[in-house]
Amino acid sequence: MDKSKNKDHRQLGQELDLFSFHDIAPGAVFWHSKGWIIYRALQEFIREKLALEGYQEISTPVMVKSDLLKKSGHWDFYSEHMFNLNVENEPYSLKPMNCPESSLVYAAKTRSYQDLPLRLAEFGVLHRNELSGVLGGLFRVRQFVIDDAHHFVRPDQIQDEIRKLLLLVVDFYKSLNFKPEFYFATKPDKAMGDASLWKQAEKDLEQALKISKVKYGIKEKDGAFYGPKIDIHIKDSQNRDWQLATIQLDFQIPERLKLEYTDKDGKAKRPVIIHRAILGSLERFIGILTEHYQGAFPLWLSPVQTIVMPIADRHQEHAKKISDELKDNGIRAEVDSRQETLQAKIRDGSLQKVPYIGIIGDRETEGRASKIEDRKISVRTREGKDLGQLKLSQFLNKLKEEIDKKI
Ligand SMILES: [Zn+2]
């Protein structure tokens, strides 16, 4: 592919009516209906996967007293990147990450060793104060949502929990037709916390990587100050490398927020937190997907999956019935009833990257079957391939199979 022809996601977002940015809210996305369909489809995909993995989804406030972020340690390292405000003479912050509040949900109940691991997922709205000069479309924003989760585990569960997580990450990306690459980031010079805990944690992470049989590279001394981590990268269709997400161990927050569980021996112990995101910021991920596919999203993510085009006025009613039947079967279908030539309609549908174009003319309406599923539709792909005349039931089966496989 000629790289110079590749479009930027901002341009594609405008051409395909997915989202816009406005000076009134720098670094925050205005999702248009079509972009929001993609966003929600992605979120739904994540939710379906997590439901099978024993996660509980929670939701916590966007604005909290800064006190919590001081206690958690974020204030010292992060306050200049936060939006801080004053409410009734008390400092508040817009949360830059979900961990401190997730920890409060953990601490809201007495936890026993048998309750762990506890996996709390959250699509919280986060704010980070990036300088306006570095904001760039969906790639660098001030307001965003991460497919975030916090696993609260006993130290003896770290290895197994990481192993499961690695498999989940591989599975996620396989479903999306990407191959994740892993990097193990070890203890930095400025690390905080107990040295023997660090050593054990590094051993656990590396062992989990080995058992999972995933290939990984090493990022020497690139771990977070509060624990070692595994970074997850992918390559897009233009062979660009993206670091999307991380799996991080954290011994600091449990200590600072005094999180506890009651162990077998009846004593109170500290859990370890695993922070993890798989796709990372959904905004950024959609930006990457938009450029990766150059707007031609796979069927399951396409805002409009099929456009039905009547050739002449007398085919309008039939086209509408076909489209309604597609919608009743969960397909995002539309009718192009404009008074344009078929050629112009097909051109517009292809420019809008609608995966399938269904044409209804005399050949399709003549001697039509009484059962709607036996009626005919001529189908073309957005790439211009002619699939010929299909029964509606055949077409539906094809769509459903493709949606299931996410191809
Ligand atoms: Zn976190």
Side-chain angles (χ1 to χ4, degrees), residues 120-139:
L120 299 180
E122 179 166 15
F123 292 103
V125 176
L126 307 178
H127 288 84
R128 293 185 193 169
N129 193 359
E130 304 276 2
L131 295 173
S132 54
V134 302
L135 297 175
L138 296 173
F139 291 161

Side-chain angles (χ1 to χ4, degrees), residues 105-121:
V105 174
Y106 175 90
K109 252 174 97 170
T110 310
R111 308 286 179 181
S112 119
Y113 69 98
Q114 288 162 314
D115 299 331
L116 306 186
L118 181 72
R119 308 178 182 103
L120 299 180

Side-chain angles (χ1 to χ4, degrees), residues 74 97-100 102 148-150 226 248 250 253 273-276:
H74 288 99
M97 35 192 83
N98 296 307
C99 356
S102 230
D148 205 6
H150 294 90
Y226 49 80
Q248 302 193 342
D250 186 344
I253 290 186
I273 294 181
I274 302 171
H275 308 255
R276 76 105 185 97

Side-chain angles (χ1 to χ4, degrees), residues 213-226:
K213 295 198 170 70
V214 296
K215 274 194 185 158
Y216 65 95
I218 298 205
K219 290 184 182 174
E220 228 30 277
K221 297 186 177 184
D222 201 34
F225 66 90
Y226 49 80

